[in-house]
Amino acid sequence: MRRLFFAILCVVGLGVSTDASAQIDLGRALGTLLNEAATTQPTVDHYAALRENAPAKGKILGTWHYLSARVEYLGVNSLASMAIPQLESFVLAELKSKGIVEGCCSLTFNRNGVAVIGTLDQVHEGKYTYDPTTARIKASYDYDNHTYKVSGYIKPVSSRIAVLIDMKDVLREIVVLRPALAKDENFLMVKGVVDSFGDIYLSVLFNR
């Protein structure tokens, strides 16, 4: 389970690639965007569609199998929109390199608030709460004397579901697993983008 959890969080830390050219390209692309101040946008409810389409709790119960992941931006800032493809290409490459591919794992939501993540050889239980009026989900589990906490939303995608995990939560918890990342230039660059724009999520797609 540690391998799976580490991989999912680690890859979106974006400071773990050993490919120097990839790091330089990402740093330059995001640095250019970050040097242009994020402009104030009109107040917009980015999450109305999530609320309106929130699945009933009964619809999410049961076992779901990992299909794919992407980086999703729910805001309206054009600079952030330009940064997302850079983040996403890096994330997907790292996911693949860590063996996080279609069919690698499953996620089960039980009625009693227990969530189970399973791989071919490991199973780990955590806790979750889900609000069907807002599509909001919060999850936590204990590992190695630390309680990992992430939050986000559940979005129906045809017969599938996407679990949108707040990138701020992901980056916060990845540092617990890898404290050295707190000084990594790529990690700090990505954290700067996420902190500046907000509304950036790791969107993980599951199928029955």
Side-chain angles (χ1 to χ4, degrees):
M1 177 58 206
R2 187 180 191 279
R3 180 187 67 82
L4 172 64
F5 180 70
F6 176 80
I8 291 177
L9 285 184
C10 185
V11 295
V12 293
L14 306 185
V16 298
S17 175
T18 56
D19 187 331
S21 63
Q23 289 184 337
I24 292 172
D25 290 345
L26 180 70
R28 286 175 178 169
L30 297 183
T32 300
L33 289 168
L34 199 57
N35 287 333
E36 301 182 37
T39 56
T40 302
Q41 299 294 321
T43 301
V44 177
D45 187 352
H46 311 298
Y47 302 94
L50 288 174
R51 292 195 301 270
E52 293 169 3
N53 297 291
K57 185 173 181 179
K59 295 291 186 180
I60 72 169
L61 296 178
T63 298
W64 300 87
H65 301 279
Y66 178 89
L67 283 178
S68 60
R70 59 188 290 255
V71 175
E72 190 166 344
Y73 176 58
L74 300 183
V76 296
N77 192 303
S78 60
L79 292 180
S81 297
M82 292 170 60
I84 295 307
Q86 295 288 339
L87 293 174
E88 185 171 80
S89 63
F90 206 77
V91 167
L92 296 183
E94 291 294 342
L95 280 170
K96 185 176 181 180
S97 73
K98 299 298 187 298
I100 308 302
V101 297
E102 181 176 348
C104 72
C105 57
S106 64
L107 171 63
T108 300
F109 291 116
N110 290 324
R111 195 179 302 277
N112 61 358
V114 173
V116 181
I117 298 176
T119 64
L120 292 176
D121 55 1
Q122 297 184 48
V123 174
H124 189 84
E125 291 188 357
K127 298 177 181 178
Y128 80 96
T129 59
Y130 172 68
D131 183 352
T133 65
T134 62
R136 185 79 168 161
I137 187 168
K138 296 180 181 180
S140 66
Y141 68 86
D142 299 322
Y143 179 82
D144 198 21
N145 298 317
H146 178 75
T147 299
Y148 294 90
K149 298 179 180 180
V150 294
S151 60
Y153 297 87
I154 290 184
K155 178 175 69 173
V157 182
S158 187
S159 61
R160 305 166 177 175
I161 61 169
V163 181
L164 280 64
I165 307 170
D166 194 323
M167 284 285 288
K168 289 183 179 180
D169 291 345
V170 173
L171 297 182
R172 182 191 67 243
E173 298 296 5
I174 190 72
V175 173
V176 176
L177 285 171
R178 291 192 59 182
L181 284 179
K183 297 182 180 179
D184 182 274
E185 290 185 5
N186 268 10
F187 178 85
L188 293 175
M189 184 73 69
V190 171
K191 187 175 186 302
V193 172
V194 172
D195 289 344
S196 295
F197 296 113
D199 301 312
I200 300 176
Y201 294 82
L202 173 64
S203 180
V204 186
L205 186 65
F206 293 91
N207 195 16
R208 286 292 191 188

